[in-house]
Amino acid sequence: MNILDIVGINMRFGGLMALADISFNVVKGEILGLIGPNGAGKSTMFNCISGVLKPTSGDMLFETGNRKIRINGYKPEKMTYLGVARTFQNVRLFSALTVLDNVRIGRHCRTRSNFFGAVLRTRSQKEEEQRIVDESINWLKFVGLDKFAFLTAGGLSYGFQRKLEIARSLATDPSLLLLDEPAAGMNPKETKSLVELIHSISDLGITVILIEHDMKLVMGICKRLVVLDHGVMIAQGGPRAIRENPKVIEAYLGRGAADA
Amino acid sequence: MNINLKDALKYLLLAAVLIYPLFSFANEYFLHVMVLIMVYMVLAMGLNIVPGFCGLLDLGYVGFYGIGAYTAGLLTIHFGLSFWVIVPLAALNGAIWGILLGAPTLRLTGDYFAIVTFGFSELVVLFLTNEIWLTRGPLGLPGIDPVIIDFSWFSTLINPEWDWYWEFIGPQPYFYLGLFMVALVYVIMGRMEDSRLGRAWFAIREDSIAASSCGINLLTYKVIGFAISAAIGAVAGAFLARWTMFLSPDMFKFWESFLILCMVVLGGLGNFKGSLVGAAILIALGEVLRIILPALNLPTETRFLAYGLIMVLMMRFRPMGFFPSIATQSQKNPILIKLKKELGSS
């Protein structure tokens, strides 16, 4: 059962073909690795799926509530509502706000109270606020940041900021989570706990697509990989097959490296 | 102990301000200035939503102030409506214009939006000056009734001799009405700040791309913020109309917008409590300069130089304002206090 079908996606920026005829499927519940050298179009792919960019042509079919819908050109907030959450390559937190507030904002799309509820402090608004706090603190416990709940997000260490961003995206109740280089800039200890975190996210039944440069990490976590290079998909398959694929070796190490 | 003393001093000061107008030695001019400060407190709090909460520069806030004032003035003169009916109508009119202006232009970012708002406030002044059939143009709008509390329809039902009818004369009743208005807006601001709505605004200010990936519809929430801000400005305008009983287009010139923005920056962007202090300081300074400058043989317009100087000094020494908004300390929500205790004990 596929949660996401990418069918012949093209993304053109002026004369530059950032993605050319990309097709792959994401199976429900799996951890899919999306790898490739710098400038391969990985983040562009994420931007297309999460609604930041609208692909020039092709189809993206997302399964939600036992229905497949075509999500091309949906706005990011609509995609979040449908159940696609993401993190960013360069951490994007609400850095002047507290750690708890960051996660509470993640609950935005699953809550309803409005101006009148806020000003009149209706009972349903109060109950909702309590629920938001409870759920947020649970997600903070899940990533291990609950003891920092009342600190400003900008003051956290880089590794913790990454984790907070993951907690915030989890707070939107996603069925598909897009992680854009979550291990970038982390030390080995932080990376190790991140791997555990990704496994426990997967255990919750959330499908994960992972962009990562740390090959050891990707090969360890993902059962299946998709490799992009210069906007073209050059391979997909299991970690072992990818590691031995001459095209992949060529993309990373240059022509001739595969023969050596 | 230290905090208790500070709190006690605060309440004592508040009580002193509260009963001051009742004394016979209360100076009429001084009370008048206090009422003016309160009008600007409301304006500064309302403006703080746009640049402070949402992070959008708004240079045309006075446009909504003018719309509220003329709405109230015209409704009073032509229809004789009660102040208590007019205030919600003025707020509604302000909000409608906020939506009309905001919905198409809040897609713009940064400087472009600031230019649009600036143009809007100039348009409002031009409209008020040139549409003479409606606003009497530069002649102004005199003869607006003061605020009236009229319960005579009710009291005469009980006892024909009772006449519960009060007309606001002199600064004292306006002082308390103004105080009520400030308190009301203050409570509304506090409740909005600590809610799903306020958090959405802060998210947009901090990082709009991340905000939209949290499911926040950027345009909707910016327009809501802009409309609420406009409505608060219009309420202050309605109060002004029934207080000064005279309106003219040059009361809503661009420099008023700048003055209100200065108050917001002075008090701290994003901290509506700071706006209260900003308003008090700048209005008081304006009054002081009004006396000092003629004594020095300078034209009163020189006071704008003083405002400019203050802004330069602020940028140099306190770029975040006197009371910068600090996310970690402004949380008095019982839910959070409870949570803090739980986290501390575990």
Side-chain angles (χ1 to χ4, degrees):
Chain A
M1 190 62 172
N2 297 336
I3 190 166
L4 182 68
D5 298 316
I6 305 288
V7 188
I9 285 291
N10 289 294
M11 182 74 223
R12 185 190 289 277
F13 296 115
L16 177 77
M17 207 65 177
L19 295 172
D21 198 22
I22 308 284
S23 300
F24 62 89
N25 303 322
V26 185
V27 182
K28 199 175 258 181
E30 75 171 335
I31 304 176
L32 177 76
L34 187 59
I35 61 170
N38 287 330
K42 307 181 296 292
S43 289
T44 308
M45 193 69 241
F46 265 23
N47 284 339
C48 287
I49 298 171
S50 66
V52 176
L53 293 172
K54 186 184 178 189
T56 316
S57 64
D59 290 313
M60 297 185 292
L61 303 169
F62 180 69
E63 203 229 82
T64 171
N66 290 322
R67 260 178 341 119
K68 277 264 158 87
I69 51 171
R70 187 171 180 271
I71 55 171
N72 293 38
Y74 276 25
K75 289 268 167 55
E77 61 264 21
K78 175 83 175 168
M79 289 314 300
T80 310
Y81 187 74
L82 289 176
V84 177
R86 71 170 295 182
T87 65
F88 296 88
Q89 190 174 354
N90 41 347
V91 183
R92 283 179 176 273
L93 286 175
F94 309 123
S95 34
L97 307 183
T98 63
V99 170
L100 180 68
D101 280 350
N102 269 269
V103 185
R104 284 207 284 174
I105 290 167
R107 290 301 299 165
H108 182 92
C109 64
R110 304 292 171 215
T111 45
R112 305 211 53 82
S113 77
N114 54 18
F115 168 73
F116 298 102
V119 171
L120 301 173
R121 287 285 142 104
T122 54
R123 180 198 287 219
S124 66
Q125 193 264 356
K126 278 185 189 159
E127 285 168 1
E128 189 179 272
E129 284 289 302
Q130 181 69 57
R131 265 204 313 280
I132 292 172
V133 169
D134 292 345
E135 284 156 347
S136 302
I137 206 75
N138 279 341
W139 284 118
L140 281 177
K141 280 183 181 142
F142 184 77
V143 300
L145 291 177
D146 49 320
K147 54 184 174 297
F148 304 122
F150 292 100
L151 299 180
T152 34
L156 292 181
S157 75
Y158 193 69
F160 285 156
Q161 290 197 4
R162 287 257 177 223
K163 281 189 169 176
L164 175 57
E165 207 186 14
I166 293 173
R168 186 182 69 191
S169 54
L170 286 171
T172 65
D173 284 350
S175 53
L176 174 65
L177 180 64
L178 313 174
L179 297 175
D180 199 341
E181 296 195 28
M186 281 191 172
N187 65 35
K189 200 179 138 207
E190 288 170 332
T191 309
K192 194 163 159 266
S193 84
L194 179 77
V195 171
E196 284 163 17
L197 179 62
I198 294 174
H199 277 300
S200 51
I201 292 170
S202 186
D203 290 343
L204 295 173
I206 297 170
T207 313
V208 178
I209 308 182
L210 182 69
I211 292 179
E212 190 48 69
H213 277 301
D214 185 337
M215 282 303 143
K216 219 176 97 200
L217 187 151
V218 182
M219 298 289 179
I221 295 182
C222 305
K223 298 283 181 295
R224 217 158 62 83
L225 295 156
V226 169
V227 191
L228 301 182
D229 183 32
H230 290 99
V232 181
M233 195 173 86
I234 53 172
Q236 66 171 317
R240 178 178 297 236
I242 293 293
R243 209 176 292 147
E244 288 161 4
N245 188 318
K247 273 182 166 173
V248 177
I249 297 169
E250 191 185 305
Y252 271 94
L253 300 174
R255 191 174 293 273
D259 310 325
Chain B
M1 192 62 213
N2 201 1
I3 295 158
N4 281 344
L5 194 71
K6 212 170 142 189
D7 274 356
L9 211 66
K10 211 161 73 184
Y11 288 120
L12 211 66
L13 198 72
L14 191 70
V17 171
L18 269 176
I19 55 168
Y20 171 76
L22 299 177
F23 290 114
S24 52
F25 60 79
N27 183 322
E28 194 148 309
Y29 165 72
F30 196 63
L31 282 177
H32 181 89
V33 173
M34 294 236 264
V35 178
L36 192 67
I37 287 175
M38 287 181 210
V39 172
Y40 278 90
M41 279 175 168
V42 171
L43 287 170
M45 280 194 284
L47 178 61
N48 212 335
I49 295 174
V50 180
F53 289 4
C54 306
L56 300 156
L57 186 56
D58 181 352
L59 293 177
Y61 193 56
V62 76
F64 301 113
Y65 182 40
I67 285 173
Y70 267 82
T71 307
L74 292 169
L75 285 177
T76 310
I77 289 176
H78 295 305
F79 300 99
L81 289 182
S82 152
F83 177 73
W84 314 102
V85 179
I86 279 175
V87 166
L89 288 178
L92 189 68
N93 198 17
I96 288 170
W97 282 101
I99 292 168
L100 285 179
L101 177 67
T105 60
L106 279 165
R107 291 165 212 271
L108 303 172
T109 49
D111 309 339
Y112 300 105
F113 177 71
I115 292 167
V116 168
T117 53
F118 175 55
F120 173 75
S121 80
E122 287 302 295
L123 267 179
V124 170
V125 173
L126 282 177
F127 179 88
L128 297 179
T129 315
N130 292 314
E131 299 302 310
I132 294 171
W133 60 275
L134 183 68
T135 64
R136 285 174 33 98
L139 292 172
L141 213 56
I144 302 168
D145 292 334
V147 177
I148 292 161
I149 298 178
D150 184 3
F151 281 120
S152 55
W153 53 272
F154 179 67
S155 58
T156 45
L157 278 181
I158 309 168
N159 184 339
E161 283 173 21
W162 288 354
D163 185 21
W164 290 355
Y165 179 93
W166 297 279
E167 206 174 272
F168 279 26
I169 299 162
Q172 276 93 348
Y174 286 103
F175 178 88
Y176 289 108
L177 183 65
L179 211 58
F180 174 69
M181 179 174 67
V182 171
L184 191 70
V185 174
Y186 183 88
V187 169
I188 290 176
M189 292 291 293
R191 289 186 165 190
M192 284 194 302
E193 184 187 37
D194 179 25
S195 74
R196 179 172 173 264
L197 181 66
R199 288 194 295 272
W201 288 336
F202 290 142
I204 292 170
R205 180 190 70 195
E206 294 293 315
D207 190 322
S208 55
I209 292 176
S212 69
S213 89
C214 288
I216 295 167
N217 187 324
L218 300 182
L219 184 64
T220 308
Y221 276 86
K222 284 187 205 169
V223 171
I224 291 173
F226 198 58
I228 293 172
S229 162
I232 292 174
V235 168
F239 179 89
L240 179 90
R242 297 296 289 261
W243 171 47
T244 57
M245 296 181 252
F246 173 77
L247 294 173
S248 88
D250 57 306
M251 292 158 90
F252 307 104
K253 283 272 163 68
F254 165 69
W255 72 267
E256 291 275 344
S257 282
F258 178 71
L259 184 66
I260 302 163
L261 194 61
C262 285
M263 291 166 183
V264 172
V265 174
L266 199 70
L269 275 170
N271 180 1
F272 70 92
K273 294 164 193 165
S275 302
L276 301 177
V277 182
I281 290 177
L282 281 191
I283 294 297
L285 180 78
E287 294 304 314
V288 170
L289 290 177
R290 198 196 292 280
I291 299 162
I292 290 179
L293 291 176
L296 296 171
N297 273 331
L298 289 167
T300 45
E301 277 70 30
T302 324
R303 68 179 187 278
F304 295 119
L305 289 177
Y307 295 148
L309 184 66
I310 288 180
M311 281 300 108
V312 172
L313 292 176
M314 286 300 289
M315 273 186 277
R316 173 65 186 80
F317 295 104
R318 296 296 290 267
M320 301 291 285
F322 279 122
F323 304 96
S325 83
I326 297 168
T328 42
Q329 65 169 208
S330 64
Q331 292 174 328
K332 289 191 177 148
N333 191 321
I335 298 171
L336 296 182
I337 292 168
K338 204 179 92 198
L339 178 69
K340 232 177 222 176
K341 260 190 209 138
E342 282 170 15
L343 288 176
S345 62
S346 64

